Amino acid sequence: MRIKQWIKENRARGARLLQIMVRENSTRGNESSTQAIIIEKCRQLGLTLDIWEIGGNVLTSHPAYCCDRKSFEGNPNLVAVLKGTGGGKSMILNGHIDVVPVGDESSWNHDPFSGIIECGKLYGRGATDMKGGNAALLMAMESIIANGIKLKGDVIFQSVIEEESGGAGTLAAVLRGYHADGAIIPEPTNLRIFPKQQGSMWFRISVKGRAAHGGTRYKGISAIEKALLVIQRLQQLEKDRNARMTDPLFDKIPIPIPINIGKLSSGEWPSSVPDTAVIEGRMGVSPEETIQSAQLEMEKCLSELGKHDEWLLENPLKLEWFGGRWLPGSLENDHPLMAELTKSFIEVKGDSPIIEASPWGTDGGILSTIGNTPVVVFGPGITETAHDANEHIILEDMFIASEIIALTLLKWCEAAE
């Protein structure tokens, strides 16, 4: 009851904190100003701070590292610990501070970093993905501290960089030694609970053709036409892979593990037959499979194209895995962390939560697979507006998430006598 009352009385402060965070542009390479706001907030809360610039051979040589960023200088990771009295389970609260670019600013109704509040919604890039989740974590922790409640288990708050490009910040935190008995990541789930997260990775397929004059195109081999064959085969692979998905947590997701073609480039001159084409895209990975097994399935699929096309048999496709990669994650529906979060949800909302699988990758795969930490993804924020123009969050949902997470901490870490 004290938690609920504190959050109710401090809603304006919570909204103001989020507003200040959203007004700072924390796109890739510009995370420091927003991180400074969070660092100062954690100092005010009396947390033990660990601030460091990620990088170094231990990180960059790790098999899960996939970042193409050249420098992290001036844009640190933050871990802030609320130390427990001992004897309780520990909890990681993990949120990323980086946001994606704003895109076409003319599509926004307001400045993308305005943080303007209208009709109970706060607008701006990162409001929903996922500064609103970070603000909910900080409010949850402050509600416990302000009420003088001591926890037995440690609460390990993480504000990391580089999630949007593959999770280097969270990987760095794991390799620095941060593990726990459980973790919550408040990505924008619309207050649904995601015990499973799809993984994903970027791919590049180079297709070879034979150049010729457009007037005698029959003498050439169009790389674009061959690329279309590749795309058709990838579409079939997507259907085959998704036909195997029987987990009921994916029932409401039309394509649980998509293969998306995001970029196709070819040709230099309208009157020439193009001799090269490059396809780039994203491959979804099931929570029950590994990155490596998914890669092998695509490799096998593409190699079989040569059985039906003599040109592709003699000129094999070149498949590369590059850029972003997000490990899949999975937690049992009956795991104790799920039970405690569900109880807290019912206590606050009066209804049972919707439990589904995440339609996108998160840092949860790194925490669970590399860090051996059970992970649940649960947070405020409108999934549909993440990465879109006019991104926004319903502030009421942020406060609800904060209360649910605070109660979960009391149950999981246990209040000391």
Side-chain angles (χ1 to χ4, degrees):
M1 194 65 182
R2 286 185 291 164
I3 296 293
K4 178 186 284 290
Q5 188 63 29
W6 187 93
I7 291 174
K8 181 179 180 180
E9 292 173 355
N10 287 274
R11 290 185 172 201
R13 290 178 66 233
R16 178 60 179 164
L17 173 62
L18 177 57
Q19 196 171 47
I20 293 170
M21 291 164 60
V22 169
R23 284 175 175 170
E24 296 295 332
N25 176 355
S26 59
T27 49
R28 197 181 198 204
N30 302 298
E31 301 95 339
S32 61
S33 58
T34 313
Q35 201 72 300
I37 294 167
I38 295 178
I39 289 169
E40 181 56 30
K41 181 66 178 178
C42 290
R43 280 203 181 102
Q44 292 171 7
L45 295 178
L47 307 180
T48 302
L49 305 185
D50 183 11
I51 305 163
W52 79 101
E53 290 179 355
I54 72 173
N57 187 60
V58 173
L59 175 65
T60 59
S61 63
H62 193 279
Y65 182 81
C66 60
C67 185
D68 61 351
R69 186 164 169 175
K70 302 303 180 186
S71 173
F72 302 99
E73 186 177 354
N75 295 282
N77 252 11
L78 164 68
V79 172
V81 180
L82 176 60
K83 193 68 179 170
T85 61
K89 294 189 290 291
S90 56
M91 178 78 84
I92 286 174
L93 302 177
N94 173 284
H96 67 85
I97 200 59
D98 54 311
V99 301
V100 298
V102 300
D104 181 8
E105 290 196 35
S106 66
S107 299
W108 291 74
N109 295 334
H110 306 285
D111 184 300
F113 299 104
S114 68
I116 192 169
I117 298 174
E118 290 182 342
C119 301
K121 300 175 183 177
L122 191 150
Y123 288 81
R125 174 59 82 225
T128 207
D129 185 17
M130 60 173 291
K131 292 177 179 179
N134 286 346
L137 294 181
L138 290 167
M139 283 193 76
M141 295 175 71
E142 187 170 6
S143 70
I144 292 170
I145 295 168
N147 278 289
I149 301 170
K150 301 292 184 184
L151 299 176
K152 292 182 180 180
D154 295 345
V155 179
I156 305 165
F157 171 76
Q158 301 177 340
S159 180
V160 300
I161 67 172
E162 279 297 308
E163 188 275 346
E164 297 289 1
S165 302
T170 293
L171 179 60
V174 170
L175 297 178
R176 200 167 175 88
Y178 290 106
H179 307 268
D181 297 308
I184 296 174
I185 301 180
E187 289 276 9
T189 70
N190 290 351
L191 298 179
R192 293 169 292 173
I193 296 176
F194 293 167
K196 296 188 178 184
Q197 306 108 57
Q198 172 198 143
S200 64
M201 51 192 167
W202 293 354
F203 63 85
R204 179 185 295 121
I205 303 169
S206 299
V207 186
K208 188 175 180 182
R210 185 171 64 212
H213 192 287
T216 54
R217 73 175 185 85
Y218 44 82
K219 292 184 178 181
I221 302 290
S222 171
I224 291 178
E225 292 177 10
K226 297 303 178 185
L228 292 177
L229 294 178
V230 174
I231 292 172
Q232 290 170 2
R233 186 67 189 92
L234 291 176
Q235 290 171 334
Q236 185 59 49
L237 176 63
E238 179 187 71
K239 291 179 182 177
D240 294 342
R241 283 171 55 76
N242 282 277
R244 303 197 299 260
M245 298 291 291
T246 58
D247 191 324
L249 293 184
F250 286 97
D251 282 352
K252 294 183 180 179
I253 301 175
I255 308 175
I257 45 173
I259 297 177
N260 179 65
I261 306 302
K263 186 178 177 182
L264 173 62
S265 56
S266 181
E268 296 179 324
W269 193 251
S271 291
S272 295
V273 175
D275 59 0
T276 58
V278 179
I279 301 165
E280 291 182 355
R282 171 198 183 276
M283 182 183 194
V285 182
S286 161
E288 273 69 48
E289 68 180 337
T290 65
I291 291 284
Q292 292 73 23
S293 63
Q295 289 176 342
L296 286 173
E297 187 169 9
M298 180 179 282
E299 289 167 7
K300 184 180 181 216
C301 160
L302 295 178
S303 68
E304 290 174 349
L305 272 174
K307 297 178 181 178
H308 310 286
D309 188 288
E310 185 177 350
W311 176 262
L312 292 179
L313 178 63
E314 296 174 357
N315 300 271
L317 303 167
K318 181 183 178 183
L319 172 62
E320 303 170 76
W321 303 99
F322 78 105
R325 184 170 65 242
W326 292 262
L327 299 178
S330 181
L331 187 68
E332 305 85 7
N333 285 351
D334 59 355
H335 190 279
L337 179 56
M338 285 289 293
E340 300 295 15
L341 182 58
T342 299
K343 286 177 191 174
S344 298
F345 186 98
I346 294 171
E347 192 173 331
V348 173
K349 293 281 289 177
D351 249 331
S352 295
I354 296 172
I355 300 175
E356 294 181 348
S358 169
W360 18 253
T362 74
D363 275 354
I366 292 173
L367 287 175
S368 60
T369 305
I370 310 299
N372 296 313
T373 298
V375 178
V376 173
V377 179
F378 164 78
I382 303 169
T383 307
E384 295 74 19
T385 75
H387 295 209
D388 204 351
N390 300 310
E391 178 180 349
H392 61 276
I393 189 170
I394 299 170
L395 288 171
E396 177 67 19
D397 287 350
M398 186 178 87
F399 305 134
I400 290 171
S402 181
E403 185 179 349
I404 291 169
I405 291 169
L407 294 182
T408 303
L409 291 175
L410 293 180
K411 292 178 172 67
W412 187 256
C413 303
E414 297 180 58
E417 293 297 332

